[in-house]
Amino acid sequence: MFKVYVMLAAMLWSAGALAQQSVITGTVKDSTNNQPLTGATVRLNNQATGTNEFGKFQFEKLMPGEYVVRVSFLGFKDKVVRVTVSDRADVVVYLEESYQLTDELVVYATRANDKTPTTFTNVNQQSIQKQNFGQDMPFILNWTPSLVTTSDAGAGIGYTGVRIRGSDATRINVTINGIAYNDSESQGTFWVNLPDISSSTQSVQIQRGVGTSTNGAGSFGGSVNVQTISQQREPYAEVTAGGGSFTSQRYTVKAGTGLMNNNWTFDGRASKIKSDGYIDRASSDLDSYYFSGGYYGNKTMLKAIVFGGQEITYQSWNGIDGATMKKHRTFNSAGALYDENGVIGYYDNEIDNYRQDHFQLHLTQKLNPYWNANVSLHYTYGRGYYENYKQGKAFADLGLDDVTIGDSTVTAGDFIVRKWLDNQFYGGTFSFNYEKNKTALTIGGAYNQYARAKHFGEIIWAQFASNSSIRDHYYEGESQKNDFNVYVKWNYALSARWNAFVDLQYRSVQYETSGTDDDLAPYDFTDNLNFFNPKAGVSYSLGANDLLYASYAVANREPNRTDYVDGEVKPKSERLDNIEAGWRRSRDNYSIEINYYLMNYTDQLVLTGKLDNVGTPIRANVGKSYRTGVEISGAVRVLDQLSWNANLTVSANKNKDYVTDPENGKTKDTDIILSPNVIAGSQLTWTAFPGFQVSLLSKYVGKQYLDNTQTESLTLDPYLVNDIRANYTIKPKGVRAIDLSLLVNNIFNEKYESNGATYGDGVAYYFPQAGTNFLAMVTLKF
């Protein structure tokens, strides 16, 4: 790997030395705090570019003379500057904040800013689109600090998962425009239900640890705050077509009106993604859409958003044991039909079929020069099923009578069943935001209801009729969850250098569920929980671009449905005490952040390594446990054409009193399941010439245990994966631009497994990931 970096650096240096030409370079900054603005649009004649993570832009191959440079960025006034260039000119453009209301105010209450004493990473639209080849959102965010991704199908399309600091998706709070997205019962996030949401995303903020107060389930590992596409000032249309390994296909159509009559804008998108997957039969057939319309005034902004998707995926959540993996790495046992001699075939419709539609209405009102208010209403409707072929299933397991044929009694047969979930989620959020002199204050909250969610199973085919009728429910249950929270956030400038932050949240959860589970076991649970989640911190400015910060935060959260239904005892709620302390520095050519964290858990619900019969991880309370570590991240502009973004996390993740021998009450300090002690990411990017970039993307994940006993035979080996991404933009006549992109994944064909589980039998089951594969796409922009 070292040789690859050295060779690439030498090539880039030579290319830079040979490139003697007239250029205009510049930096775009916020005039208020002198910070660089990433993702600003810079236009010169018929050329356009965006500023990088240092706020830099560059135009090359120019004739000597005077040029007009136009700069625009959402939330700021447009700026026009005149530049005279003979050989090389360098300019700094300062943008002033615009007083017109913008979409950023919708997510303002739930996001951290430069003065917030917590740990976060912002990912802008430019970075998202470079990596958006149709894979799920976790794979686009893969190179951010302390983050690990996995894919059931092995190639990033279909069911994917994400862990932050070792915490799985059920412990990561996700919001879309400030609206909670985590499933209310499982608390998981299923990005497969929103395929290609990245194409309609303006920015993402990832907060690690407890973070700031947000809406929905408490953050126990991190938060992912998604903002969908904001106001586009110019009309546009885009068509994207792509494809690659495993018969992967991706088609996206986007269009927008731009700002009409200085107030109105409308945007829309439709997407289709298909893939056979790396794992056998792990196919995905995904559809999605996004439409929005907004009114932008000086004092009022009103925006309606409708988005959703449908996924049909062949099930691939079983994993494979080590012995089978050595012989047949892509083997998938889902849908297998056996006779007395072994496997004879597979059921062709062993699928997950689910549709989810989201409706959001956002109102922002400027009340006076210091106060603005945000009110949002939302409604989500989800419905779908798992379909399974049950071979040799006992009638009693489905609540049916045995069948008598002649003198014989038949006690089992073949069935096709569907396990349904039909749910509705609705509610509202609000925030009042105040800024004046030394004070920034936010008062916010939300009330959400997960209403009468129905869990039921139906038999759609049976080898023997027994006493059932088509569409009979052989199990059924209902759930309802009410979730209320209110919070106050206060930032106060104690002096020119010191800033204090206080964040207080009260959250109330009422959950009730009853019925029979798919194994016909009855359940009936009601729980009422009240949580107080305080947070406080300070930051100290060493200079204009240097900040020290420290914070202490408490988070409490409720168990999920599986904890109640599948647990051997009633689960307890969890508590997390989180300390964050660090240093951030930003300079014109580099930035760095060093952060220390300590996350102390009480009654943490950790993964046991077991899965239920639909692949959902089973958890249990383990008493005291902790995660602690150091995160280092930064970016450096090595040459005009070469930049490097990198991050490293070194941590310890321990169960302090995990019971390894229940009969004798023995405990042991063991590593927490699926929590690597080392995670590293790297993006080395060469801009060979304007419009063309090549990036070497590297990810290292250390050793992981598959349960909490720290058994050496139940582990995932460390892995290092390298990808190469190339993006090339040309601007021929007749179109605004043509973007050509290529992503070659796992260029060294590393054989690795990013996820695994055990079923309590001491056997490890793995989820292999694809070897070398590629995705390519072309986008026409009008």
Side-chain angles (χ1 to χ4, degrees):
M1 175 53 59
F2 178 75
K3 291 181 179 179
V4 173
Y5 279 95
V6 172
M7 291 175 62
L8 183 57
M11 292 169 58
L12 303 180
W13 187 277
S14 299
L18 292 173
Q20 301 296 328
Q21 52 193 9
S22 296
V23 298
I24 294 177
T25 61
T27 307
V28 179
K29 293 187 175 183
D30 182 343
S31 63
T32 302
N33 55 29
N34 201 39
Q35 291 295 306
L37 295 175
T38 302
T41 299
V42 186
R43 293 182 174 86
L44 185 149
N45 296 339
N46 62 344
Q47 301 182 59
T49 188
T51 56
N52 64 15
E53 61 269 30
F54 304 108
K56 299 284 188 180
F57 66 89
Q58 181 169 301
F59 295 100
E60 295 184 344
K61 299 180 181 179
L62 301 175
M63 297 294 293
E66 185 177 72
Y67 292 87
V68 176
V69 177
R70 302 177 184 274
V71 184
S72 60
F73 190 60
L74 190 63
F76 293 82
K77 296 178 181 178
D78 291 357
K79 186 74 173 284
V80 176
V81 295
R82 294 185 179 275
V83 181
T84 301
V85 58
S86 55
D87 179 27
R88 185 182 185 91
D90 189 68
V91 297
V92 179
V93 182
Y94 292 95
L95 297 187
E96 296 180 2
E97 188 175 353
S98 170
Y99 292 104
Q100 187 179 50
L101 297 178
T102 65
D103 298 80
E104 276 68 22
L105 287 172
V106 172
V107 296
Y108 174 86
T110 54
R111 285 199 169 181
N113 58 44
D114 290 337
K115 292 289 182 71
T116 307
T118 191
T119 315
F120 64 93
T121 299
N122 292 323
V123 185
N124 61 37
Q125 186 181 38
Q126 186 180 16
S127 299
I128 292 169
Q129 296 313 314
K130 283 181 182 178
Q131 189 64 24
N132 184 16
F133 288 81
Q135 296 172 302
D136 278 359
M137 180 70 83
F139 277 71
I140 293 173
L141 305 177
N142 185 43
W143 290 274
T144 57
S146 300
L147 189 143
V148 177
T149 61
T150 185
S151 168
D152 284 5
I157 298 176
Y159 268 88
T160 59
V162 61
R163 294 189 293 274
I164 297 177
R165 290 182 178 173
S167 296
D168 67 277
T170 65
R171 316 175 73 70
I172 299 170
N173 173 280
V174 177
T175 56
I176 300 178
N177 300 323
I179 306 299
Y181 180 63
N182 297 67
D183 178 78
S184 292
E185 289 194 289
S186 72
Q187 298 178 5
T189 301
F190 303 98
W191 295 104
V192 69
N193 296 332
L194 293 177
D196 207 23
I197 187 65
S198 304
S199 288
S200 298
T201 296
Q202 184 72 26
S203 66
V204 177
Q205 182 176 92
I206 303 171
Q207 297 181 19
R208 301 187 294 281
V210 171
T212 61
S213 287
T214 184
N215 300 313
S219 169
F220 257 47
S223 301
V224 178
N225 182 308
V226 177
Q227 179 194 355
T228 59
I229 190 169
S230 12
Q231 175 200 118
Q232 304 297 298
R233 297 184 180 182
E234 302 295 331
Y236 68 94
E238 296 181 12
V239 179
T240 299
S245 302
F246 318 119
T247 326
S248 298
Q249 303 171 56
R250 181 264 181 108
Y251 307 98
T252 301
V253 178
K254 295 169 57 177
T257 62
L259 197 59
M260 302 186 303
N261 298 324
N262 206 38
N263 290 117
W264 294 91
T265 182
F266 298 89
D267 299 276
R269 173 187 57 82
S271 300
K272 177 76 171 181
I273 299 173
K274 299 184 72 173
S275 178
D276 289 341
Y278 167 67
I279 301 300
D280 295 346
R281 302 179 314 287
S283 60
S284 300
D285 189 352
L286 315 175
D287 298 281
S288 73
Y289 64 92
Y290 174 94
F291 297 101
S292 68
Y295 169 81
Y296 298 84
N298 290 329
K299 293 186 176 182
T300 303
M301 186 190 77
L302 181 65
K303 190 168 187 177
I305 305 173
V306 181
F307 60 96
Q310 180 167 17
E311 56 93 2
I312 301 175
T313 56
Y314 196 98
Q315 295 167 22
S316 55
W317 53 54
N318 292 344
I320 57 175
D321 64 88
T324 303
M325 186 170 64
K326 290 179 180 179
K327 300 175 184 177
H328 187 179
R329 189 172 175 79
T330 61
F331 177 75
N332 181 12
S333 63
L337 304 177
Y338 297 84
D339 63 9
E340 64 275 9
N341 297 317
V343 177
I344 59 172
Y346 295 90
Y347 179 52
D348 63 359
N349 208 44
E350 194 90 352
I351 61 167
D352 172 25
N353 186 333
Y354 194 79
R355 181 178 183 86
Q356 196 173 73
D357 298 290
H358 299 255
F359 304 86
Q360 298 182 356
L361 182 65
H362 302 278
L363 172 65
T364 300
Q365 181 68 42
K366 188 173 183 179
L367 304 177
N368 61 42
Y370 312 113
W371 282 95
N372 67 70
N374 292 280
V375 178
S376 299
L377 301 176
H378 66 90
Y379 171 76
T380 300
Y381 180 35
R383 61 276 189 202
Y385 57 84
Y386 304 122
E387 183 166 312
N388 301 104
Y389 192 106
K390 300 291 186 180
Q391 190 173 29
K393 187 75 170 177
F395 291 119
D397 290 346
L398 297 174
L400 302 177
D401 297 336
D402 292 342
V403 174
T404 300
I405 301 176
D407 296 331
S408 302
T409 299
V410 180
T411 61
D414 292 355
F415 299 86
I416 299 176
V417 300
R418 287 181 175 175
K419 299 177 180 180
W420 278 85
L421 173 61
D422 189 309
N423 56 27
Q424 300 177 71
F425 177 64
Y426 50 80
T429 69
F430 72 91
S431 68
F432 293 91
N433 308 297
Y434 170 84
E435 282 194 39
K436 184 180 180 182
N437 298 332
K438 299 180 179 182
T439 299
L441 177 70
T442 295
I443 303 170
Y447 177 78
N448 301 311
Q449 186 172 86
Y450 184 76
R452 294 298 169 193
K454 298 178 181 178
H455 302 263
F456 62 91
E458 59 183 20
I459 301 169
I460 65 171
W461 175 85
Q463 183 181 12
F464 302 101
S466 185
N467 60 322
S468 70
S469 299
I470 190 170
R471 307 297 183 189
D472 268 1
H473 291 186
Y474 69 93
Y475 75 89
E476 59 185 348
E478 282 195 354
S479 303
Q480 180 165 308
K481 185 175 184 179
N482 300 326
D483 188 338
F484 168 76
N485 82 86
V486 63
Y487 57 83
V488 177
K489 300 179 184 180
W490 180 50
N491 261 302
Y492 183 73
L494 300 171
S495 68
R497 293 182 178 272
W498 285 97
N499 188 80
F501 173 76
V502 177
D503 182 340
L504 305 176
Q505 184 197 54
Y506 166 76
R507 182 165 176 253
S508 175
V509 177
Q510 300 174 338
Y511 179 59
E512 58 183 84
T513 182
S514 61
T516 55
D517 205 4
D518 60 357
D519 60 1
L520 303 188
Y523 61 89
D524 189 353
F525 294 97
T526 300
D527 216 351
N528 296 300
L529 299 166
N530 295 282
F531 302 127
F532 176 58
N533 301 316
K535 308 167 184 70
V538 294
S539 60
Y540 177 76
S541 297
L542 296 170
N545 300 300
D546 276 276
L547 189 76
L548 294 173
Y549 63 88
S551 65
Y552 171 74
V554 175
N556 293 273
R557 60 182 282 139
E558 71 280 13
N560 64 28
R561 182 178 188 272
T562 300
D563 298 329
Y564 286 108
V565 175
D566 291 344
E568 296 179 359
V569 297
K570 183 178 178 180
K572 294 180 284 187
S573 61
E574 309 167 90
R575 176 186 168 105
L576 168 60
D577 294 83
N578 181 204
I579 294 174
E580 305 278 335
W583 167 57
R584 288 194 288 261
R585 165 175 282 188
S586 177
R587 292 289 189 265
D588 286 345
N589 290 319
Y590 74 93
S591 63
I592 187 171
E593 177 172 357
I594 301 175
N595 182 71
Y596 165 77
Y597 66 90
L598 172 62
M599 302 167 69
N600 264 322
Y601 299 91
T602 302
D603 294 324
Q604 181 181 192
L605 283 159
V606 303
L607 300 173
T608 63
K610 301 178 183 178
L611 305 176
D612 68 12
N613 56 359
V614 294
T616 301
I618 295 174
R619 307 187 302 176
N621 293 108
V622 296
K624 299 288 187 180
S625 55
Y626 67 88
R627 302 181 189 275
T628 186
V630 174
E631 298 165 318
I632 304 172
S633 60
V636 59
R637 191 179 182 191
V638 182
L639 303 168
D640 285 345
Q641 296 87 11
L642 181 65
S643 63
W644 185 34
N645 294 60
N647 57 76
L648 171 67
T649 300
V650 180
S651 65
N653 310 275
K654 291 288 186 179
N655 299 300
K656 295 174 69 174
D657 51 3
Y658 184 77
V659 179
T660 55
D661 186 352
E663 293 184 2
N664 299 311
K666 291 183 178 179
T667 62
K668 180 182 177 183
D669 277 353
T670 62
D671 280 9
I672 299 176
I673 183 175
L674 292 171
S675 298
N677 292 336
V678 180
I679 304 171
S682 169
Q683 301 178 72
L684 188 64
T685 300
W686 174 40
T687 304
F689 49 85
F692 180 69
Q693 284 189 340
V694 177
S695 299
L696 176 63
L697 312 172
S698 306
K699 188 78 175 187
Y700 175 82
V701 178
K703 178 181 176 181
Q704 302 173 70
Y705 289 94
L706 298 182
D707 71 358
N708 289 288
T709 65
Q710 202 168 324
T711 302
E712 292 300 325
S713 61
L714 303 176
T715 61
L716 293 178
D717 290 334
Y719 59 86
L720 172 63
V721 179
N722 294 274
D723 306 338
I724 286 183
R725 184 187 69 214
N727 303 96
Y728 181 39
T729 299
I730 56 177
K731 298 178 180 179
K733 292 183 179 180
V735 297
R736 183 161 57 95
I738 299 176
D739 292 340
L740 304 172
S741 302
L742 174 67
L743 177 66
V744 182
N745 298 296
N746 198 358
I747 57 175
F748 298 121
N749 202 31
E750 173 90 352
K751 288 188 176 181
Y752 72 105
E753 299 77 48
S754 59
N755 196 15
T758 69
Y759 292 90
D761 55 1
V763 178
Y765 293 85
Y766 303 98
F767 291 81
Q769 302 300 288
T772 304
N773 65 94
F774 79 95
L775 293 167
M777 64 181 179
V778 57
T779 299
L780 303 180
K781 296 181 177 181
F782 302 93

